[in-house]
């Protein structure tokens, strides 16, 4: 009793209650259920009006910060998703462009081959005509 009164006069909280396993478990469970909740220490002395107001103000500030962080996280996720979609669209566009170029090259290659074959036929034809003319001249 004397010790408690002495501590109260100095403005100190009463001696801490030695922690029990049950108490620890209850704290742990509460932490798991409400991970965002901040455990406020039990007031050892009655709060003055000023202190209570300050505590309430701080709690409101903490809640606002928490909401701000949550909003920021969702905004970040949204931006990430947008970037992912943009990358996918870019990849699709580049694939389509590559496909178009491949088809163009294929067409150009076949056109070149056709022109080459036509040239060869023309050369054979002119050779044959020249041969035929020489034959006629011999006769």
């Amino acid at each position: 009793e004397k010790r408690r009164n002495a501590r109260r006069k100095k403005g100190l909280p009463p001696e801490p209650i030695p922690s029990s396993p049950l108490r620890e478990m209850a704290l742990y469970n509460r932490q798991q259920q409400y991970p965002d909740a901040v455990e406020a220490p039990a007031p050892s002395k009655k709060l003055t009006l000023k202190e209570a107001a300050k505590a309430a103000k701080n709690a409101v500030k903490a809640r606002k910060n928490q909401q701000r962080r949550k909003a920021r996280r969702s905004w970040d996720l949204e931006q990430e998703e947008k970037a992912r979609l943009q990358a996918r669209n870019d990849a699709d566009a580049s694939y389509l462009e590559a496909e178009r170029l491949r088809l163009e090259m294929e067409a150009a290659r076949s056109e070149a081959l056709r022109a080459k074959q036509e040239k060869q036929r023309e050369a054979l034809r002119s050779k044959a005509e020249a041969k035929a003319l020489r034959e006629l001249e011999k006769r």
Side-chain angles (χ1 to χ4, degrees):
E1 194 68 25
K2 275 183 182 176
R3 236 186 348 209
R4 194 171 338 137
N5 283 337
R7 284 181 73 85
R8 195 180 313 139
K9 273 184 188 169
K10 290 179 185 170
L12 296 170
E15 287 176 336
I17 303 163
S19 190
S20 70
L22 273 178
R23 185 169 201 223
E24 290 292 323
M25 201 164 67
L27 274 172
Y28 176 78
N29 288 337
R30 207 171 311 132
Q31 189 97 38
Q32 295 306 310
Q33 256 181 334
Y34 311 105
D36 295 338
V38 181
E39 284 270 332
S44 56
K45 57 181 182 174
K46 225 173 188 177
L47 293 176
T48 64
L49 195 60
K50 200 174 184 181
E51 289 169 334
K54 192 174 183 182
K57 192 175 168 186
N58 285 340
V60 166
K61 205 183 280 182
R63 198 174 309 115
K64 269 189 183 169
N65 282 338
Q66 202 171 19
Q67 287 169 343
R68 214 175 279 132
R69 274 196 301 275
K70 204 180 224 174
R72 175 68 193 203
R73 268 196 303 271
S74 67
W75 184 83
D76 285 347
L77 288 173
E78 201 176 291
Q79 294 306 310
E80 207 173 279
E81 185 63 26
K82 276 184 187 171
R84 201 177 295 124
L85 282 174
Q86 184 62 44
R88 187 179 299 146
N89 289 341
D90 290 349
D92 289 349
S94 64
Y95 171 77
L96 291 173
E97 179 67 15
E99 190 64 19
R100 188 183 63 72
L101 285 172
R102 189 186 65 76
L103 290 173
E104 272 182 24
M105 283 175 61
E106 194 73 31
R109 197 177 292 128
S110 64
E111 181 62 32
L113 188 64
R114 194 187 58 70
K116 186 179 174 186
Q117 288 172 344
E118 188 63 39
K119 208 179 205 179
Q120 285 174 344
R121 276 196 215 101
E122 193 59 45
L124 282 173
R125 204 175 294 122
S126 64
K127 237 186 202 177
E129 282 176 10
K131 194 175 183 181
L133 279 172
R134 275 198 306 272
E135 286 294 320
L136 280 173
E137 285 172 3
K138 278 184 184 176
R139 285 185 192 165

